[in-house]
Amino acid sequence: MTEQELQQLCGKENPFRVPEGYFEAFNEQMMAKIAATSTKSVRLHDNSKKKVVWLRPLLATAACICVAIFALALIFNQKVEQKDNATAQYAYNDEYIEDVIDYAMLDNGDLYAYMMEE
């Protein structure tokens, strides 16, 4: 829809209205609310201040420990996967060598003789 079609459907009148005299009294009302909240003071006991002071470093320490444990778990998992891959590669190489030996029709005596020559 174009802007003209919307104006024909809805008209140009703004449906939102501000009460009469709202902005004239706004400053006084807002300043009164600010003054009322600033005069209230919250007093903390000394024990609660100490708890709040120690809470933030305690949470930071706990977060650092969690990150370190997570990082170590990732590193350990990668090393285990690398070890599994290496073991699988050696197993594949052993199967390949056994197939070559079977194809060449070599027995243990022939293999020992070749190994002693080198």
Side-chain angles (χ1 to χ4, degrees), residues 18-91:
V18 178
E20 291 290 328
Y22 177 78
F23 288 109
E24 286 79 16
F26 182 77
N27 284 342
E28 292 83 20
Q29 290 174 357
M30 185 57 67
M31 294 306 281
K33 287 180 183 178
I34 291 172
T37 58
S38 66
T39 57
K40 293 180 184 177
S41 62
V42 178
R43 183 179 174 138
L44 297 174
H45 298 289
D46 291 337
N47 292 340
S48 62
K49 284 183 182 178
K50 289 180 183 177
K51 288 179 185 177
V52 171
V53 169
W54 286 101
L55 183 63
R56 200 173 277 173
L58 182 64
L59 289 175
T61 304
C64 289
I65 290 171
C66 289
V67 167
I69 290 172
F70 182 72
L72 288 174
L74 285 177
I75 291 170
F76 179 73
N77 190 23
Q78 288 177 352
K79 286 185 179 181
V80 168
E81 287 178 4
Q82 288 174 353
K83 184 178 179 182
D84 290 342
N85 289 342
T87 304
Q89 184 179 5
Y90 290 135

